Amino acid sequence: SQERCSALEQDRAKLQMTKEAVEQRTRELRKEGELLRKSLEQQMSLNRDEERSCQMLPALPEKKMVFKGLVTNKEDMNKLVLTPVIRYPLLGGSALITFEKAEVAQRIIEAKEHVVELSYGEELEELDRCRVRVQAAPVDILLPSALEIRMTRSSRSILVSDLPSLGIPEEALLDKLELFFSKTKNGGGEVEGREFLDNSAQVVLTFAQDGVAEPLIARGHVQVLIGKGKYELKISPCMSGDITNLQFQPSRCPRTVLLSGIPDVLGEEPMRDTLEIHFQKASHGGGEVEALAYVPAGRQRVALFTEDAG
């Protein structure tokens, strides 16, 4: 019993210490909040003064702003977020229709077959009250569920960025970079390969020998004479990745329906409008249509599926 009382007393002391620590942190946070509020008020006051001064100045110099993100969960730092972009082949005589609500799509799929009245537009004056039967089915796609990439760092390559926009051809700029980095006085060596990265203003330079890239990467920046100006370029390690494991899982689109068996009896636009009119009516089990893509018979297209923000 005495030991139990002693344990309880220790627990009470720990709780008291925890409570005091929380109260202390709360006071600190309040002080920080008050300082932040005052800082914001001062900034707003300065902004108002700047707005008044802008009326007198013809132009103000541009100011570069840097946003530094806050990592809230250290466990997520080494995680890769996949945002799949799925290309879905769409055969002729079919359509993809996406409803605003998933329950509407489910109703359309459960009905399986739908009779669509083709009484739209002037093209069907002679075919008044003509009807066609179309089949509705769910859209199943494969989404990546796991991805593993093995990253390797090149021992002979560097990534050159912060390149100036000089309006010269890419090959001419590559020549100038190769000329600079091939000289030992600049810390370089014989250049074996050079290329622009796809869709970026970055160049990968590969040296013929080991031991050249690492000292340049350690420097981080070098000043390069290009034309009549000197420019500070950033030097970074060149990383490459190989996919070692990629797994998929089937997924059903909740709001999209595949319509098939659509006969080629109307023009593309009239048929698309006719389908949308039919399937947005509540009397046909439909609802508000968000998007509709129709492919006439004899043609093929590819639909693009992205992550549903809703």
Side-chain angles (χ1 to χ4, degrees):
S1 177
Q2 188 175 357
E3 291 178 357
R4 185 174 179 82
C5 288
S6 177
L8 288 173
E9 184 63 22
Q10 289 178 2
D11 289 344
R12 189 192 66 78
K14 288 180 182 179
L15 286 173
Q16 182 65 26
M17 291 174 63
T18 302
K19 178 185 175 184
E20 290 174 358
V22 170
E23 289 175 349
Q24 176 65 23
R25 184 56 182 156
T26 301
R27 288 193 293 271
E28 291 173 359
L29 288 173
R30 283 176 180 168
K31 287 181 181 179
E32 291 175 6
E34 185 65 18
L35 289 173
L36 180 59
R37 184 184 63 79
K38 290 180 179 178
S39 175
L40 287 172
E41 287 178 354
Q42 291 174 359
Q43 187 62 44
M44 290 174 66
S45 176
L46 287 173
N47 288 343
R48 285 194 293 270
D49 292 339
E50 270 190 10
E51 288 172 4
R52 286 194 291 271
S53 65
C54 284
Q55 297 172 0
M56 296 180 285
L57 295 173
L60 289 174
E62 291 184 2
K63 184 178 180 182
K64 291 185 177 180
M65 304 296 289
V66 178
F67 174 77
K68 296 183 178 179
L70 176 64
V71 178
T72 56
N73 190 349
K74 292 183 179 179
E75 293 179 358
D76 294 336
M77 290 178 67
N78 294 322
K79 290 184 179 179
L80 182 66
V81 178
L82 295 177
T83 304
V85 178
I86 306 298
R87 287 168 172 81
Y88 186 88
L90 200 55
L91 302 177
S94 63
L96 282 176
I97 181 168
T98 300
F99 296 94
E100 289 186 357
K101 295 183 178 180
E103 55 264 30
V104 176
Q106 188 60 34
R107 283 202 304 268
I108 297 299
I109 291 169
E110 288 175 354
K112 293 184 180 180
E113 189 175 77
H114 297 265
V115 178
V116 180
E117 186 172 308
L118 303 181
S119 58
Y120 172 80
E122 299 177 358
E123 297 183 34
L124 287 173
E125 288 181 357
E126 299 178 2
L127 300 174
D128 191 27
R129 310 296 294 178
C130 179
R131 296 178 176 87
V132 296
R133 295 180 183 273
V134 299
Q135 284 71 47
V139 177
D140 294 314
I141 58 179
L142 288 176
L143 291 179
S145 59
L147 173 65
E148 294 179 9
I149 300 177
R150 182 180 63 244
M151 300 297 293
T152 55
R153 176 170 171 169
S154 174
S155 62
R156 294 186 179 181
S157 298
I158 61 173
L159 184 67
V160 183
S161 54
D162 291 350
L163 297 171
S165 299
L166 301 175
I168 62 176
E170 287 187 353
E171 282 299 316
L173 182 55
L174 289 174
D175 287 341
K176 294 181 183 299
L177 291 175
E178 180 176 350
L179 182 62
F180 177 88
F181 284 100
S182 63
K183 295 179 179 178
T184 54
K185 69 176 184 179
N186 296 329
E190 181 185 346
V191 176
E192 190 176 66
R194 78 245 182 116
E195 63 173 333
F196 269 92
L197 285 182
D198 293 340
N199 302 318
S200 74
Q202 297 176 318
V203 170
V204 174
L205 293 178
T206 303
F207 297 100
Q209 304 294 328
D210 288 329
V212 180
E214 287 302 324
L216 288 170
I217 293 169
R219 286 168 64 181
H221 292 82
V222 294
Q223 283 199 339
V224 180
L225 182 65
I226 304 177
K228 296 181 180 179
K230 267 192 173 182
Y231 302 91
E232 188 171 275
L233 307 185
K234 184 180 179 182
I235 310 298
S236 307
C238 184
M239 307 294 294
S240 60
D242 297 316
I243 296 176
T244 56
N245 182 28
L246 178 58
Q247 298 176 12
F248 293 91
Q249 65 179 10
S251 179
R252 177 161 292 182
C253 297
R255 300 187 295 118
T256 301
V257 178
L258 174 64
L259 303 176
S260 59
I262 305 171
D264 191 15
V265 293
L266 273 183
E268 185 174 343
E269 187 175 348
M271 179 61 83
R272 186 170 57 244
D273 292 343
T274 298
L275 291 171
E276 185 167 349
I277 289 171
H278 176 90
F279 284 102
Q280 73 180 3
K281 290 182 178 178
S283 57
H284 296 152
E288 286 296 324
V289 175
E290 184 177 291
L292 191 148
Y294 164 62
V295 181
R299 300 186 191 177
Q300 285 188 352
R301 289 181 187 163
V302 175
L304 200 65
F305 283 89
T306 56
E307 190 174 9
D308 192 344

